[in-house]
Amino acid sequence: MTLIRKATTTDNAKRLADAHRKQIGFVMRPALQAAIERGELLEAVIDDAVIGFAHFHVRRDGWTTLYEIVSTSAGGGRALLSALPRPLRLKCPVDNHSNGLYEHMGGPCSETVSGRKRDLHVWIFL
C-alpha cells in the first residue's frame, strides 16, 4: 500500500527529479524547499522507501497547478494524483507516457497547446 505524506526534506524529491530530468526537466532544490515550506510537496512511500513526489501550488483562485509528478511505480503516481487538491490543472508533453495515467484517472484532456519545445496536453481534474 502506498502512503502519501508531506515532504519534510528536499533530498528524496531532488534525487527522483534528477533521475527523471529528461522527462520533467531540471528541478531546482530552492523551489522544492519553498514548496515544503508551503506544504505543497508530497511524497509517495512504500515500505519506508520514497518512490515518488508531487510538486504543486494552490493558486489564489483555488485551482491547483501541478509542476512535477514522478513515481517509480504506477500505484505511486495514482496515489499522488489522487491526493492533490482539486480543482487541478496540469500540462503534459503529448509524447509523455504520463498522459495514459491522466486519461486512466478520468481527467479529460481539455486542449492541446504549443509549448516552448513541444506540444502539451492540458488535463483538468475536478
Side-chain angles (χ1 to χ4, degrees):
M1 185 166 127
T2 305
L3 168 72
I4 303 298
R5 67 182 184 200
K6 289 185 179 180
T8 58
T9 176
T10 61
D11 295 342
N12 295 313
K14 183 63 173 155
R15 174 182 50 80
L16 288 163
D18 287 348
H20 294 87
R21 185 174 292 164
K22 183 176 179 183
Q23 293 86 8
I24 66 171
F26 183 75
V27 178
M28 296 177 55
R29 191 176 295 271
L32 295 173
Q33 183 60 46
I36 287 173
E37 292 167 8
R38 290 189 311 269
E40 297 176 340
L41 186 66
L42 299 178
E43 294 178 331
V45 181
I46 296 178
D47 297 328
D48 294 325
V50 175
I51 55 107
F53 78 93
H55 174 201
F56 64 96
H57 177 65
V58 179
R59 301 176 348 184
R60 280 186 250 169
D61 64 3
W63 279 83
T64 299
T65 300
L66 179 63
Y67 296 125
E68 297 98 19
I69 187 168
V70 171
S71 179
T72 58
S73 80
R78 284 191 294 273
L80 284 163
L81 192 60
S82 295
L84 292 170
R86 300 296 198 267
L88 168 68
R89 180 175 184 261
L90 63 96
K91 295 179 182 178
C92 185
V94 296
D95 59 346
N96 191 300
H97 70 278
S98 296
N99 287 297
L101 170 65
Y102 304 141
E103 183 175 18
H104 176 76
M105 295 288 294
C109 179
S110 64
E111 63 181 317
T112 301
V113 297
S114 295
R116 281 184 260 174
K117 296 183 180 180
R118 50 193 169 173
D119 289 345
L120 306 167
H121 287 315
V122 179
W123 296 91
I124 303 292
F125 293 87
L126 299 175

